């Protein structure tokens, strides 16, 4: 530090001083556990040698990639993510366009659509699980009213998967709608007025004005949506009651939780979680790079 210049008089040093507590907390709660997990992933830590574990190289990673459960639950995770995010984005943009028009009672509709966000996720998951109950659930009561037989939603693998899927779709649409609505309100009306003067149809306006100008806000939102959905442990775990029936209703994150904290194969679970991290890192990096989602459309 130069003589006569105090720490608070130097803008750069002052900025570092302000962000230092945040960096310290991030190092303690994120970087530290991440590095510890990385070390454990190369070890044989489990219930038998929890205190005297030792490094075993890449054995856990080889076991992950040769484990049939990994590939099966990877397939289900991809299916789970694609179905969820596709419906979230499609319905989110559709509802945002409706909310961006003049509607009687628009504020009431907006509150009702955002309502899933106001309810804690675990309460929503348990409520939907009750709705899919075979004997007393609302879904089967509606089916019986329509003259159809009850379905063992939570007693079969794909029935439980469908129940979790419906729950997460209901939870995820408000986020995409809010993001899309913010993007729509930033689009200048002059563009639509000029298009109407030129005789452009509504579909042409949507395809050539709305969608390109929504890209800067939707690409990061879709990236976050994919990561959140890919890692959505709560809904799958709570709706399927821990992966029932017979551990068949899992995605990767719920399976790695089961392996690590129920079966205590901690080294294997740590390697499994690092593989999940690598998959999401590669996806996020490539998706934003290919879609140029961080660039402005006005450049």
């Amino acid at each position: 530090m130069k003589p006569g210049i105090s720490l608070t008089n130097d803008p750069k040093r002052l900025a570092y001083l302000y962000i230092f507590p945040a960096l310290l907390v991030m190092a303690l709660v994120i970087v530290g556990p991440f590095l510890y997990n990385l070390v454990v992933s190369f070890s044989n830590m489990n219930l038998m040698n929890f205190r005297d574990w030792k490094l075993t190289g890449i054995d856990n990673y080889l076991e992950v990639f040769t484990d049939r459960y990994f590939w099966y639950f990877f397939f289900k995770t991809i299916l789970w993510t694609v179905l969820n995010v596709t419906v979230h984005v499609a319905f989110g943009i559709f509802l945002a366009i409706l909310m961006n028009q003049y509607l009687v009672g628009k504020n009431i509709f907006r509150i009702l659509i955002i309502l899933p966000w106001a309810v804690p996720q675990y309460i929503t998951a348990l409520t939907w699980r009750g709705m899919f109950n075979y004997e007393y659930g609302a879904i089967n009561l509606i089916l019986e009213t329509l003259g159809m037989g009850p379905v063992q939603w939570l007693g079969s693998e794909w029935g439980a998967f469908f129940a979790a899927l419906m729950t997460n779709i209901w939870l995820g649409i408000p986020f995409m709608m809010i993001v899309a609505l913010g993007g729509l309100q930033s689009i200048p009306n002059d563009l639509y007025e000029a298009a109407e003067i030129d005789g452009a149809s509504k579909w042409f306006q949507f395809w050539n004005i709305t969608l390109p100008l929504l890209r800067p806000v939707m690409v990061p939102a879709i990236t976050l949506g994919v990561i959140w959905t890919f890692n959505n442990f709560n809904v799958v775990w709570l709706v399927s009651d821990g992966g029932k029936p017979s551990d068949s209703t899992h995605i990767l994150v719920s399976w790695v939780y089961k392996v690590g904290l129920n079966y205590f194969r901690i080294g294997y679970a740590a390697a499994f979680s690092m593989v999940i991290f690598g998959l999401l890192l590669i996806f996020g990096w490539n998706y934003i790079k290919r879609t140029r989602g961080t660039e402005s459309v006005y450049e």
Side-chain angles (χ1 to χ4, degrees):
M1 183 182 300
K2 295 180 180 178
I5 300 178
S6 68
L7 187 63
T8 55
N9 288 334
D10 185 340
K12 291 184 178 178
R13 292 175 186 274
L14 186 61
Y16 286 125
L17 179 65
Y18 283 149
I19 65 173
F20 176 74
L23 292 176
L24 181 62
V25 171
M26 288 181 64
L28 290 175
V29 302
I30 297 177
V31 180
F34 178 85
L35 294 177
Y36 179 72
N37 187 76
L38 181 63
V39 173
V40 170
S41 71
F42 292 102
S43 76
N44 64 345
M45 182 186 287
N46 56 35
L47 189 61
M48 301 296 292
N49 47 21
F50 186 76
R51 295 185 181 278
D52 58 345
W53 56 273
K54 60 182 180 181
L55 297 177
T56 57
I58 61 172
D59 290 356
N60 289 325
Y61 289 90
L62 293 176
E63 189 176 352
V64 168
F65 288 114
T66 55
D67 189 345
R68 66 183 181 88
Y69 286 110
F70 170 78
W71 294 108
Y72 186 61
F73 291 138
F74 180 62
F75 160 73
K76 292 186 76 173
T77 305
I78 296 294
L79 182 64
W80 159 265
T81 305
V82 170
L83 291 175
N84 269 297
V85 176
T86 301
V87 178
H88 290 167
V89 173
F91 276 86
I93 293 177
F94 174 71
L95 292 173
I97 291 173
L98 288 181
M99 292 297 107
N100 201 37
Q101 309 296 321
Y102 175 75
L103 285 177
V104 177
K106 183 166 68 174
N107 290 333
I108 296 175
F109 288 125
R110 187 178 295 181
I111 292 172
L112 290 175
I113 294 172
I114 298 174
L115 192 60
W117 260 7
V119 182
Q121 197 178 66
Y122 72 95
I123 293 178
T124 301
L126 293 177
T127 301
W128 276 85
R129 181 178 159 192
M131 291 171 62
F132 279 100
N133 181 274
Y134 178 74
E135 290 183 272
Y136 310 109
I139 305 297
N140 275 348
L141 293 177
I142 293 173
L143 291 178
E144 289 178 1
T145 303
L146 297 175
M148 303 169 66
V151 178
Q152 277 280 11
W153 297 106
L154 303 179
S156 66
E157 175 184 358
W158 290 104
F161 182 84
F162 179 79
L165 184 68
M166 290 297 104
T167 306
N168 201 55
I169 284 175
W170 191 77
L171 280 168
I173 289 176
F175 170 74
M176 290 297 176
M177 189 206 73
I178 292 296
V179 173
L181 185 59
L184 286 174
Q185 291 176 347
S186 69
I187 299 175
N189 283 328
D190 297 351
L191 298 175
Y192 293 107
E193 292 171 0
E196 288 180 0
I197 291 173
D198 291 339
S201 64
K202 291 294 183 184
W203 175 251
F204 184 91
Q205 293 176 35
F206 172 75
W207 193 254
N208 292 280
I209 298 175
T210 305
L211 276 186
L213 296 183
L214 277 179
R215 192 189 68 192
V217 296
M218 293 308 297
V219 168
I222 292 171
T223 306
L224 281 176
V226 168
I227 294 172
W228 289 342
T229 305
F230 197 95
N231 281 328
N232 196 324
F233 166 81
N234 291 344
V235 171
V236 174
W237 187 267
L238 291 173
V239 172
S240 68
D241 194 17
K244 292 179 181 177
S246 304
D247 277 336
S248 59
T249 311
H250 280 295
I251 58 175
L252 288 178
V253 291
S254 60
W255 178 241
V256 75
Y257 177 86
K258 186 96 178 188
V259 170
L261 297 180
N262 285 161
Y263 301 150
F264 296 103
R265 298 171 61 191
I266 300 173
Y268 174 81
F272 208 115
S273 64
M274 292 306 298
V275 171
I276 295 174
F277 169 76
L279 291 172
L280 290 175
L281 181 65
I282 293 170
F283 163 78
W285 183 276
N286 282 289
Y287 184 72
I288 292 179
K289 188 176 179 181
R290 287 176 181 273
T291 55
R292 297 181 298 172
T294 57
E295 298 178 6
S296 171
V297 294
Y298 296 103
E299 290 180 351

